[in-house]
Amino acid sequence: MNPRQLYIETVGCQMNVLDSEMVVASLRKRGYELTHELEQADAILFNTCSVREQSENKTYSALGRLRQFKKRHPEKIIGVLGCMAQKDQKLVFDRAPFVDLVVGPGQLHQVPDLLDEIAAGSGPKMAVSLGRRDGTLDEIKRSHETFDPLRDPTMRPTPFQAYLRIQIGCDKFCTYCVVPMTRGPEQGRPPEQIVAEARTLADQGCVEITLLGQTVNSYRYASGGKTTRLADLLTSLHEIDGIRRLKFVTNFPKDMTNELLTAVRDLPKVSSYLHVPAQSGSNRILQLMKRGYTVEDYREMMGRLREFVPGAAVSSDFIVGFCGETDDEYQLTAELVKECRFKNSFIFKYSERGGTKAAEMLPDDVPFEVKQQRNNDLLAIQNAISEEDNQAFLGRTVEVLVEGPSKQQGADAGLAEEGHVLQLVGRTSCDRIVVFEGTPRQVGQFLPLAIYDVSPHTLFGAVLTHEHRPELSEFAVVRLQV
Ligand code: SAM
Ligand code: SF4
């Protein structure tokens, strides 16, 4: 029998990228092969995001474009997975009646069986987890299963980098956010499972692991009278041969302990890159968001972070135009960005989400144009800081892990041809992107680069080569065209 063909599109955060990797791995075991052509696919899956309305609109538009396609090919199975599936549930079938499958992020292990049932003529299927008020905490937790032991190196962005989930769900309940509803209660995975998975990844040739959790630094796992926290986990993972870099995202400001900062400082494989979203610079807004800290708390955390890990790169998320945000309150956010000098910030216009406290209690009353204007303004402030701070890299040598061809170069460009010179992208331990010219052989390697130019988001470098011939015994900067 010919292998069945799977087409999958993923939007959203790293968690979704990892979920898709797992779904693909489980479907390969059932004999599926990946295809990039809709026409060839037997199953078409969308792994979705519902954090902002825009992400949902994108998915519904993509589904809308398949309406006629499904009429022509009724045998092809169309599935909606992930956070939007959990949030909208039956609404997905109402808005796109030709969809066959709706599966929430806590039920992804069911995808292979459900696809088989649908192919056998069962009709549409839905598998979602319990809502946050639909059972006891244990029942709800059990209905949000982690789906992690399977790994499929071929589905990763690169074979030498991997995400590793250490925590699912979230209990912070920020008033604007759907994640506690779509991903369920916060649960830490057992440390032994995490370490075993990291070993498997290292055996597969993975050199960089990024630990994932919505509030990754709140990670805790209690068993047999012992509680394991993120700092302990990093210490165990640090010992695994083959792993050369460890990162973790996303941090919650209030859970940034001195123990964790000490681990970041003392464990050389741990990147000194910390993503710690502040969301706003106004105490009134932070309180309305129910973030559980004040701007003063955030400043105190930043002070400790800078003291423990001097030179750390810190990035943040901000929401502009949250319910009732005044100009003065927005200015406080701009002040915080100037003061903290983040490496970069992800800036979002507030998007009201059904089912959240903010949607229930607070009017979404900042006009779109004002949100847009604040977004542009904050981005300009951040970009100026990023560019200024990147200037400090001019003339310096940095070590990068080479990730692959640059976007400009195109994903597969030239990789087949050994010796071919192409534009590559590498990333420093502090998460700075460096563009340089190199060869396909260098992908996956750690390389020293001399930085000769910078922009707000990119450093431009040239490979430092070491010639062993006696007449060329010193480091030579090979300046390639970029
Ligand atoms: N758990 C992470 C944290 O607390 O920082 C972030 C998770 S969320 C998927 C990523 C970012 O999306 C948030 O930090 C926030 O800035 C943004 N976000 C979440 N809900 C939003 C909403 N309703 N409107 C606009 N941005 C939102
Ligand atoms: Fe959402 Fe807040 Fe949880 Fe982050 S910490 S996932 S923003 S509820």
Side-chain angles (χ1 to χ4, degrees):
M1 202 173 86
N2 282 339
R4 288 174 288 179
Q5 302 291 314
L6 167 70
Y7 174 94
I8 186 162
E9 267 185 35
T10 306
V11 291
C13 61
Q14 296 101 326
M15 283 282 180
N16 272 12
V17 174
L18 179 56
D19 282 341
S20 291
E21 183 188 327
M22 304 298 173
V23 168
V24 171
S26 64
L27 287 174
R28 274 193 207 271
K29 284 201 162 173
R30 293 281 177 100
Y32 279 86
E33 273 179 0
L34 271 183
T35 175
H36 299 293
E37 303 294 330
L38 275 176
E39 295 283 341
Q40 284 172 12
D42 299 291
I44 298 165
L45 302 179
F46 293 90
N47 194 5
T48 63
C49 170
S50 55
V51 167
R52 282 168 295 279
E53 192 183 9
Q54 203 188 9
S55 344
E56 289 186 353
N57 289 346
K58 260 193 207 158
T59 303
Y60 279 116
S61 308
L63 286 172
R65 287 194 292 276
L66 288 183
R67 193 177 292 268
Q68 295 306 322
F69 178 82
K70 176 76 174 178
K71 276 194 187 138
R72 289 199 307 277
H73 305 283
E75 75 292 352
K76 294 189 189 290
I77 300 175
I78 299 181
V80 175
L81 317 180
C83 288
M84 197 186 87
Q86 178 66 35
K87 177 175 158 287
D88 284 0
Q89 305 194 2
K90 288 200 175 69
L91 183 66
V92 178
F93 293 124
D94 296 343
R95 290 185 66 172
F98 49 88
V99 165
D100 303 285
L101 180 66
V102 171
V103 184
Q107 299 294 323
L108 295 175
H109 54 283
Q110 295 205 46
V111 169
D113 285 347
L114 293 173
L115 285 179
D116 282 351
E117 287 172 32
I118 296 167
S122 71
K125 289 276 175 190
M126 182 168 87
V128 288
S129 301
L130 291 177
R132 295 293 300 240
R133 294 195 192 101
D134 295 342
T136 64
L137 182 59
D138 263 356
E139 286 167 345
I140 300 168
K141 278 185 175 174
R142 259 182 278 123
S143 86
H144 286 268
E145 281 189 40
T146 56
F147 179 41
D148 291 285
L150 290 158
R151 303 302 311 215
D152 184 349
T154 60
M155 248 322 270
R156 285 189 219 131
T158 71
F160 43 87
Q161 294 172 296
Y163 293 129
L164 202 175
R165 190 174 353 239
I166 67 167
Q167 177 195 58
I168 63 166
C170 180
D171 283 342
K172 303 289 189 213
F173 285 100
C174 303
T175 55
Y176 51 80
C177 184
V178 287
V179 171
M181 275 67 83
T182 58
R183 296 231 170 225
E186 181 186 318
Q187 303 180 66
R189 288 180 71 205
E192 315 78 61
Q193 247 183 47
I194 297 168
V195 172
E197 201 178 324
R199 287 220 168 88
T200 306
L201 287 167
D203 291 345
Q204 291 174 350
C206 183
V207 292
E208 179 186 279
I209 290 182
T210 303
L211 308 178
L212 296 185
Q214 291 299 343
T215 55
V216 74
N217 57 337
S218 324
Y219 171 85
R220 62 194 297 280
Y221 188 85
S223 166
K226 182 175 174 252
T227 301
T228 307
R229 296 187 182 274
L230 180 56
D232 308 314
L233 209 49
L234 288 170
T235 307
S236 307
L237 295 171
H238 198 265
E239 283 170 18
I240 298 176
D241 287 339
I243 301 298
R244 292 184 56 182
R245 254 189 210 173
L246 288 163
K247 299 181 182 175
F248 50 96
V249 284
T250 296
N251 293 284
F252 193 68
K254 261 191 89 174
D255 294 332
M256 192 59 85
T257 60
N258 288 351
E259 288 71 32
L260 178 57
L261 292 173
T262 306
V264 176
R265 182 192 63 198
D266 294 346
L267 298 171
K269 291 181 182 175
V270 176
S271 283
S272 50
Y273 161 62
L274 296 160
H275 183 57
V276 202
Q279 309 296 359
S280 172
S282 147
N283 280 335
R284 193 185 74 91
I285 296 294
L286 285 174
Q287 202 173 11
L288 287 177
M289 290 175 163
K290 204 171 148 282
R291 285 289 286 181
Y293 54 85
T294 60
V295 184
E296 291 72 31
D297 294 334
Y298 192 87
R299 285 205 180 98
E300 186 275 334
M301 181 279 304
M302 268 303 242
R304 275 188 299 118
L305 191 158
R306 299 272 185 230
E307 181 193 326
F308 275 76
V309 199
V314 186
S315 60
S316 180
D317 293 351
F318 288 96
I319 296 179
V320 292
F322 187 64
C323 313
E325 185 188 67
T326 63
D327 264 335
D328 286 351
E329 285 166 339
Y330 162 69
Q331 285 308 327
L332 293 171
T333 299
E335 288 309 315
L336 187 68
V337 170
K338 287 179 197 160
E339 181 187 325
C340 291
R341 299 193 76 84
F342 297 107
K343 175 181 81 73
N344 65 290
S345 291
F346 299 95
I347 300 162
F348 305 105
K349 296 185 277 296
Y350 172 60
S351 164
E352 187 175 84
R353 309 291 40 232
T356 61
K357 270 276 171 300
E360 272 172 36
M361 320 271 292
L362 302 165
D364 177 14
D365 53 2
V366 177
F368 181 83
E369 304 70 50
V370 176
K371 288 179 183 172
Q372 187 64 56
Q373 212 266 318
R374 289 178 190 168
N375 189 331
N376 295 349
D377 185 62
L378 200 56
L379 204 58
I381 293 170
Q382 176 61 62
N383 282 349
I385 293 169
S386 302
E387 182 154 12
E388 255 175 58
D389 288 357
N390 276 353
Q391 302 276 347
F393 283 84
L394 282 172
R396 271 170 58 183
T397 299
V398 297
E399 187 192 56
V400 298
L401 171 58
V402 185
E403 295 187 343
S406 70
K407 275 197 193 125
Q408 207 182 335
Q409 181 77 58
D412 307 318
L415 271 184
E417 282 181 59
E418 286 294 318
H420 184 94
V421 173
L422 73 170
Q423 199 176 65
L424 294 172
V425 167
R427 211 175 277 262
T428 66
S429 166
C430 61
D431 202 53
R432 284 185 164 86
I433 292 166
V434 190
V435 170
F436 65 101
E437 290 212 336
T439 67
R441 251 182 334 113
Q442 291 167 327
V443 175
Q445 290 183 17
F446 287 86
L447 283 184
L449 298 178
I451 303 303
Y452 65 84
D453 201 2
V454 300
S455 73
H457 303 294
T458 314
L459 308 178
F460 298 91
V463 183
L464 281 171
T465 51
H466 189 207
E467 290 283 355
H468 294 286
R469 283 177 294 154
E471 70 272 24
L472 273 174
S473 59
E474 46 184 341
F475 279 101
V477 178
V478 180
R479 186 80 171 267
L480 295 159
Q481 284 178 324
V482 176

